[in-house]
Amino acid sequence: MIMYSSKKLKAPEHQVAGHSAKEGRLGPLVDGEGRFFKPFQRDFRGKNEDTFYEFFSSNKNAPNHIHGYFPSYQGTQVVEASNGSGKLPHIVLEDVVTGYLKPSIMDIKIGSRTWYPNISQEYFKKCMGKDRGTTSVSLGFRISGFKIFDHEESSYWMPDKKVVHGYNVDEARLALRKFVSSNSLADSIPDCAFASEIYGGPNGILAQLLELKAWFETQTLYHLYSSSVLMFYENESVLMKGGDDARARVKLIDFAHSFDGSGVIDHNFLGGLCSFIKLIQDILESSDNNNETNIFQFKNGH
């Protein structure tokens, strides 16, 4: 572990979920040069996540193309914490949205079960309450947060996370439609103008998710609880040049609750991933992306 100058570090501009470093709180930082500094979480979780990244980054049992779906690991460094509490260890990762000017980003927590083995009864009840109170149980995943650049308004729409966490199945489905629309504000009917460019195609979101699914159908190295799929693309390019220049990407993040797979397939993560893929496929296969009814009226996040 080495020391690192924190003079250039600042809160990430495009963070959509998790603890934020803004307003004097403890959260991740970026250096503007492609590095993302994530503070160690309390108790075992910080060390557990660092250990996951350290071992996975050199694990030859995972195919090379699968390694590309994880932020690259650059070790652990001590920097000044964002909340002013002093120097703390941080995991240093690739800042995956470096170079994106106006990215649309969505964080999706995968799995119908976010609790892991051998937890306290109190923590079990807390996790179960969230899983049942969101779409985790009903869909196998829940949206943790997102921001979408609206081309008609030339501004971002980022609903409050508490609102997002309260989405039901229909609202989660609608959010996925809005994510690839040119008109994404709260009260607009999504046009899904970018669905084929972002979700579809040989390099689109769906193709990447299917590649991950194929690996999770056989991998028994890890069980990932409360991990997320982060999907994002460049809005600055999609309107002018099409999907390839939009650099639609999928990354897996958040591994504080990762455990040895012990030779068993991670059915919890795989099931949630399959459910998420199904909704993406439904959007692409829809014959009329603009035929939205009032029953899907989106909750206003303002």
Side-chain angles (χ1 to χ4, degrees):
M1 188 179 298
I2 63 175
M3 303 294 288
Y4 183 86
S5 173
S6 60
K7 291 182 179 179
K8 296 181 180 179
L9 300 183
K10 60 182 181 180
E13 182 182 357
H14 300 300
Q15 184 180 352
V16 296
H19 299 288
S20 171
K22 297 176 180 178
E23 299 177 358
R25 293 170 294 189
L26 182 63
L29 300 163
V30 294
D31 65 357
E33 299 177 0
R35 287 181 288 266
F36 183 93
F37 295 75
K38 184 175 183 178
F40 270 48
Q41 294 189 54
R42 292 175 297 174
D43 52 63
F44 79 96
R45 292 172 294 174
K47 181 60 179 175
N48 192 59
E49 184 165 31
D50 181 56
T51 299
F52 170 85
Y53 274 114
E54 182 178 4
F55 280 92
F56 181 80
S57 64
S58 59
N59 191 334
K60 295 182 179 179
N61 290 319
N64 287 336
H65 70 280
I66 293 298
H67 278 274
Y69 287 109
F70 294 75
S72 62
Y73 173 71
Q74 301 176 31
T76 303
Q77 297 180 352
V78 173
V79 301
E80 190 71 34
S82 61
N83 63 354
S85 60
K87 290 181 168 59
L88 295 177
H90 288 62
I91 302 171
V92 186
L93 303 167
E94 166 195 11
D95 182 3
V96 297
V97 295
T98 294
Y100 286 71
L101 298 177
K102 291 183 174 64
S104 282
I105 308 174
M106 184 176 288
D107 183 308
I108 305 99
K109 194 177 293 293
I110 302 293
S112 59
R113 162 185 166 181
T114 58
W115 52 274
Y116 46 90
N118 303 316
I119 61 173
S120 67
Q121 188 67 17
E122 181 181 359
Y123 190 67
F124 168 76
K125 290 181 179 178
K126 179 180 178 181
C127 290
M128 281 297 294
K130 288 185 178 180
D131 293 346
R132 289 174 175 171
T134 64
T135 60
S136 288
V137 170
S138 55
L139 280 179
F141 68 86
R142 67 177 180 252
I143 299 174
S144 296
F146 64 91
K147 64 185 298 186
I148 305 171
F149 186 79
D150 187 279
H151 289 275
E152 292 187 354
E153 298 293 330
S154 296
S155 63
Y156 274 105
W157 177 55
M158 183 174 175
D160 187 271
K161 284 185 283 189
K162 290 183 179 179
V163 175
V164 176
H165 296 169
Y167 284 171
N168 59 31
V169 172
D170 289 335
E171 289 162 340
R173 182 183 293 111
L174 185 57
L176 292 172
R177 295 171 67 89
K178 282 181 173 287
F179 188 69
V180 290
S181 293
S182 64
N183 58 333
S184 302
L185 297 183
D187 56 354
S188 63
I189 297 175
D191 58 21
C192 292
F194 312 136
S196 60
E197 290 84 2
I198 302 305
Y199 287 155
N203 301 313
I205 296 293
L206 178 60
Q208 295 174 56
L209 292 173
L210 289 172
E211 196 166 53
L212 279 171
K213 173 178 172 286
W215 183 60
F216 274 95
E217 286 174 335
T218 60
Q219 81 88 13
T220 59
L221 300 171
Y222 306 103
H223 284 187
L224 308 177
Y225 297 98
S226 206
S227 294
S228 290
V229 163
L230 189 73
M231 62 177 183
F232 51 97
Y233 67 92
E234 176 60 86
N235 266 284
E236 191 76 350
S237 298
V238 69
L239 195 63
M240 303 296 296
K241 301 177 182 179
D244 289 341
D245 289 297
R247 292 177 290 159
R249 296 288 184 271
V250 166
K251 294 284 184 177
L252 299 186
I253 60 171
D254 296 338
F255 305 108
H257 302 146
S258 60
F259 297 90
D260 191 315
S262 302
V264 178
I265 290 174
D266 187 354
H267 291 287
N268 178 60
F269 192 95
L270 175 60
L273 186 61
C274 288
S275 177
F276 182 59
I277 287 172
K278 178 62 168 58
L279 288 194
I280 299 296
Q281 288 174 325
D282 287 346
I283 293 172
L284 283 170
E285 294 170 1
S286 174
S287 60
D288 184 5
N289 288 323
N290 292 315
N291 185 21
E292 198 68 54
T293 64
N294 290 333
I295 143 179
F296 295 135
Q297 182 64 40
F298 211 61
K299 286 185 180 178
N300 193 327
H302 295 292

